[in-house]
Amino acid sequence: MTDTRRRMRERKRLLARRVRALLAGGLVLGIGTTATLAAWNDSEYGTATFTAGRFDIVGAVDGTTFTNHPVGTPGALSFSTPFSALAPGSTVYALFSVKTANPSVAGTLQLSVSSTGGTGLGTYLRYGVRSIAGIACNATTYTAGTAVVPDNSAIGTAGTGTQAVAANGTSTVNYCFAVTLPAGTLNAAQGLTAIQTWQITGTSS
């Protein structure tokens, strides 16, 4: 074997060893790359509990003692004299205060007429309602108030608009009722009675 052939074989063996070494290194490198794909992880979670609020209104005929007055047991309004012996030209006044209970969400109030009874005096009566600043309901405070039912309305007339009440009893709507037996009322009205029931409807906001 000549030296040339021997050198060529040596070169081929050396080249083959280098190729095998490169292939082996590539395999090791591939394994190492695959291993680094796995990673640690972590998570954060949020939760909440939801509870519905409530809406409740209470009333007071004296401006201070508030309680519920459900259908069938309305609060008795304390009209000024001579509400039990009305004569033509008489006007009597009564307070009814309403606010939200505590706890309660805020809302609005709407005055309406629930029923009119008695023996017929209601057909002769005229009335108006105003919201007033304090709990003194009389001719002076009524005049300074904000109209809820227009003056000289028939006794079955509902209120116009709504009145806002804050949450948790922090504001009060003081309704001042003024009921009149008009001057010139016929003699036929003598001795008749009227049983009037109003309703304050509250709506949450």
Side-chain angles (χ1 to χ4, degrees):
M1 180 181 297
T2 63
D3 290 341
T4 301
R5 289 181 177 178
R6 189 178 297 113
R7 283 195 296 270
M8 290 178 64
R9 287 180 178 178
E10 285 293 330
R11 287 177 181 174
K12 287 180 180 179
R13 284 196 290 269
L14 181 59
L15 181 59
R17 283 197 299 269
R18 288 179 177 176
V19 169
R20 286 194 295 270
L22 289 171
L23 291 175
L27 290 174
V28 172
L29 179 61
I31 293 171
T33 302
T34 302
T36 59
L37 291 178
W40 291 334
N41 61 74
D42 191 12
S43 300
E44 290 291 327
Y45 300 88
T47 188
T49 299
F50 298 93
T51 303
R54 58 174 294 180
F55 179 69
D56 186 19
I57 58 173
V58 288
V61 297
D62 61 359
T64 58
T65 307
F66 287 87
T67 188
N68 289 112
H69 299 94
V71 61
T73 56
L77 302 184
S78 299
F79 276 93
S80 57
T81 56
F83 79 95
S84 60
L86 291 170
S90 299
T91 300
V92 292
Y93 300 88
L95 173 74
F96 191 50
S97 301
V98 182
K99 65 179 181 178
T100 56
N102 189 9
S104 174
V105 298
T108 57
L109 306 177
Q110 173 76 56
L111 186 147
S112 61
V113 174
S114 176
S115 64
T116 301
T119 60
L121 184 61
T123 61
Y124 297 94
L125 295 175
R126 294 293 180 268
Y127 90 118
V129 181
R130 298 191 183 190
S131 61
I132 60 175
I135 61 173
C137 175
N138 52 48
T140 300
T141 58
Y142 180 86
T143 301
T146 301
V148 175
V149 175
D151 295 343
N152 201 39
S153 294
I155 201 70
T157 305
T160 57
T162 60
Q163 296 75 48
V165 280
N168 305 321
T170 55
S171 70
T172 302
V173 176
N174 297 306
Y175 294 101
C176 185
F177 290 74
V179 177
T180 300
L181 184 63
T185 299
L186 299 176
N187 286 337
Q190 294 185 63
L192 298 181
T193 62
I195 302 172
Q196 186 67 28
T197 303
W198 289 278
Q199 178 179 353
I200 308 293
T201 301
T203 303
S204 64
S205 59

